[in-house]
Amino acid sequence: MERPALELAARDILLGNLRRGTAEWNGQEYSFVVPSLTGYPFQWFWDSCFHAIALIHIDCNQAKAELDTLMSAALPNGFIPHIIFWESEKRDYFLSKNLVARVNPNFSSTIQPPILAYAVERVYQATGDEAFRERSLPVLVNYYRWLKENRDPDKDGLLSIIQPEESGIDCSPKYDEILKLTDLSNQGFIEALNRIYSSYELIRSDELSMLNADVFHVEDVLVNSIYALSLQSLARLLGDTDESLNTLNDASKTMESLVNKCWDVDTEAFLDLNGLQEIPNRTVTISSLMPIILPDLSPYIVKRLVEKWIMSEDHFWLPYPLPSVPASNSKFIPGDPHGFIWRGPSWINTNWFITKGLKLHGYQELADDISAKSLACIQQSGFREYYNPYTGEGLGAKNFGWSTLILDM
Ligand code: GLC
């Protein structure tokens, strides 16, 4: 597919999934792209950031509107929810099928990978719009301050998540053990989630108590790689200020902890730390490769990630890479997961991250190969939620928003 045709097709998805209006519950105007009109008809945090990045290639004003809408959902304490139910009339039906942690009925009380400052920086670079940068900065500063103060209890620079949806890769097999998952199905996963939700029932608005409860306390590699990347963006957006220097120090601290605490010399991959005891989680998934997006990673580590994992046909190098779980994992499911997602198929957003990282570290050809194979999936089946890594067959939601990230690969 030539670039103009691809842009037209992506425009159809992004503008087709656009929702504009005024929310009944808070009187605020919204203008954003839903991940999917049928399956996910609200605003999701990291999806929105991906939509804004794809929109840079199509409609910069809409890219700004997307992020402005997301940031308008920030609470006074800085927190930004991972789902915002702008169109509340659709909420009850969605909640009858999905579990969402809430303190307020209109938005979730949990986070998603904090890629917002990176997305704001990309939109600012594309538009040069100072007013956009200036109105975003206080929201960003408060948001990253909230994360630091509420989600890093041991102050090692690594954020902890309190339930699997917070990483965006909900049912990844890397969480099976901590979730005590025995029934390996979407139903089993929902039951495990219910157990966590019950443990938090009386302490839902108290972040520290939830972390101390140690029922699902994960210093997650994917979340923290995105956190460090975004803190670097925030530092640049802040310009020549003390706040910028502090933010850069925070980014370095996270980066150092990823290397010092999560890099495992035997596995040659980055491992999550589980629980207050920080037990390394030995299940390698796409998340274990994510620090490759960080500019300061040592060439040696990058080389090991590339040679041992990414380019290995036993692990991630399948006909349509990169699967969310290496083929060597006994729980790897390449085909239709029936809702039990992130356990095999390849996703465009993680390919977007990994190709960015590969290019940054000089592996341009490999990155181009992954981008070409991602495009082949889209040509074959359209913009789907995820793809079978052996056949490229599209799976999950149709007309899926963030697969338009191909425009940025
Ligand atoms: C699924 C994904 C999550 C995404 C959401 C909306 O829950 O696991 O990452 O944000 O769908 O697309």
Side-chain angles (χ1 to χ4, degrees):
M1 198 188 281
E2 297 300 320
R3 180 80 188 183
L6 184 66
E7 280 182 12
L8 274 180
R11 173 189 292 269
D12 274 354
I13 304 294
L14 289 167
L15 302 187
N17 288 8
L18 193 63
R19 308 303 298 167
R20 283 198 179 119
T22 307
E24 261 173 32
W25 49 277
N26 68 355
Q28 262 175 236
E29 282 183 20
Y30 57 80
S31 176
F32 71 97
V33 173
V34 295
S36 132
L37 285 168
T38 46
Y40 306 107
F42 306 103
Q43 187 168 32
W44 263 261
F45 185 100
W46 76 330
D47 298 68
S48 230
C49 296
F50 296 135
H51 297 159
I53 293 165
L55 279 164
I56 290 170
H57 301 270
I58 291 193
D59 181 341
C60 279
N61 283 331
Q62 191 53 47
K64 282 186 268 180
E66 178 89 29
L67 296 179
D68 281 333
T69 301
L70 182 62
M71 288 187 277
S72 77
L75 301 190
N77 67 3
F79 171 82
I80 304 181
H82 101 283
I83 307 176
I84 305 135
F85 299 107
W86 291 112
E87 292 176 286
S88 42
E89 64 278 14
K90 297 182 182 165
R91 190 190 60 204
D92 291 348
Y93 176 73
F94 183 81
L95 291 172
S96 70
K97 310 240 172 253
N98 296 276
L99 273 178
V100 179
R102 288 172 308 149
V103 175
N104 182 304
N106 301 303
F107 46 84
S108 70
S109 57
T110 37
I111 61 165
Q112 250 188 348
I115 191 187
L116 182 57
Y118 175 85
V120 168
E121 186 188 29
R122 288 292 309 278
V123 172
Y124 170 63
Q125 284 167 344
T127 58
D129 185 338
E130 279 305 327
F132 173 70
R133 185 182 74 97
E134 277 165 26
R135 65 178 179 266
S136 303
L137 272 180
V139 183
L140 294 177
V141 167
N142 270 341
Y143 173 62
Y144 288 93
R145 188 184 296 139
W146 185 92
L147 290 173
K148 182 178 171 180
E149 287 176 359
N150 290 282
R151 288 307 185 84
D152 183 12
D154 60 357
K155 309 223 176 312
D156 60 356
L158 298 175
L159 302 179
S160 301
I161 59 170
I162 54 165
Q163 51 193 65
E165 311 95 297
E166 292 205 308
S167 71
I169 56 169
D170 323 25
C171 319
S172 174
K174 71 177 183 165
Y175 303 131
D176 287 1
E177 202 179 313
I178 194 163
L179 286 173
K180 302 186 182 68
L181 210 63
T182 43
D183 169 6
L184 295 183
S185 70
N186 192 38
Q187 193 47 41
F189 177 75
I190 290 170
E191 281 159 21
L193 268 193
N194 265 318
R195 288 196 291 274
I196 293 185
Y197 279 51
S198 321
S199 343
Y200 291 156
E201 205 176 332
L202 301 175
I203 50 173
R204 205 24 118 173
S205 19
D206 182 349
E207 298 289 330
L208 193 59
S209 296
M210 285 190 286
L211 290 166
N212 285 338
D214 208 3
V215 284
F216 187 100
H217 181 137
V218 175
E219 291 174 281
D220 190 281
V221 169
L222 178 143
V223 169
N224 282 291
S225 306
I226 291 176
Y227 179 51
L229 178 80
S230 300
L231 286 175
Q232 290 178 337
S233 292
L234 177 57
R236 285 188 292 268
L237 285 165
L238 281 161
D240 196 6
T241 57
D242 287 348
E243 182 99 50
S244 167
L245 278 182
N246 294 338
T247 307
L248 211 51
N249 285 337
D250 288 345
S252 303
K253 189 169 173 183
T254 304
M255 167 76 200
E256 279 158 24
S257 284
L258 276 168
V259 173
N260 296 336
K261 299 177 78 169
C262 302
W263 173 252
D264 185 75
V265 282
D266 299 325
T267 321
E268 296 188 303
F270 288 88
L271 306 179
D272 290 357
L273 304 175
N274 279 357
L276 291 167
Q277 299 300 320
E278 301 192 311
I279 316 270
N281 176 343
R282 306 217 155 263
T283 307
V284 171
T285 68
I286 193 77
S287 159
S288 320
L289 314 175
M290 282 290 287
I292 202 167
I293 59 174
L294 298 171
D296 327 293
L297 204 61
S298 83
Y300 173 76
I301 289 185
V302 175
K303 192 164 185 277
R304 293 316 300 142
L305 290 177
V306 168
E307 290 178 0
K308 173 160 180 188
W309 294 104
I310 298 180
M311 291 184 67
S312 159
E313 291 180 4
D314 292 336
H315 300 305
F316 287 96
W317 200 250
L318 302 189
Y320 297 91
L322 297 167
S324 33
V325 169
S328 50
N329 185 311
S330 59
K331 294 175 177 168
F332 168 70
I333 316 171
D336 187 349
H338 303 288
F340 201 34
I341 54 180
W342 295 104
R343 300 180 74 97
S346 302
W347 295 66
I348 302 297
N349 69 328
T350 43
N351 278 359
W352 173 81
F353 276 118
I354 302 291
T355 54
K356 288 253 165 282
L358 287 170
K359 286 184 220 170
L360 192 66
H361 295 287
Y363 293 84
Q364 180 76 41
E365 242 177 79
L366 183 57
D368 289 345
D369 200 3
I370 297 170
S371 301
K373 287 171 171 152
S374 305
L375 179 60
C377 291
I378 292 169
Q379 274 173 324
Q380 182 184 325
S381 333
F383 294 89
R384 297 293 296 267
E385 194 175 358
Y386 40 84
Y387 300 88
N388 182 315
Y390 288 118
T391 62
E393 181 200 0
L395 299 163
K398 292 185 175 145
N399 296 343
F400 190 70
W402 83 36
S403 294
T404 59
L405 273 178
I406 191 74
L407 295 181
D408 198 60
M409 284 170 71

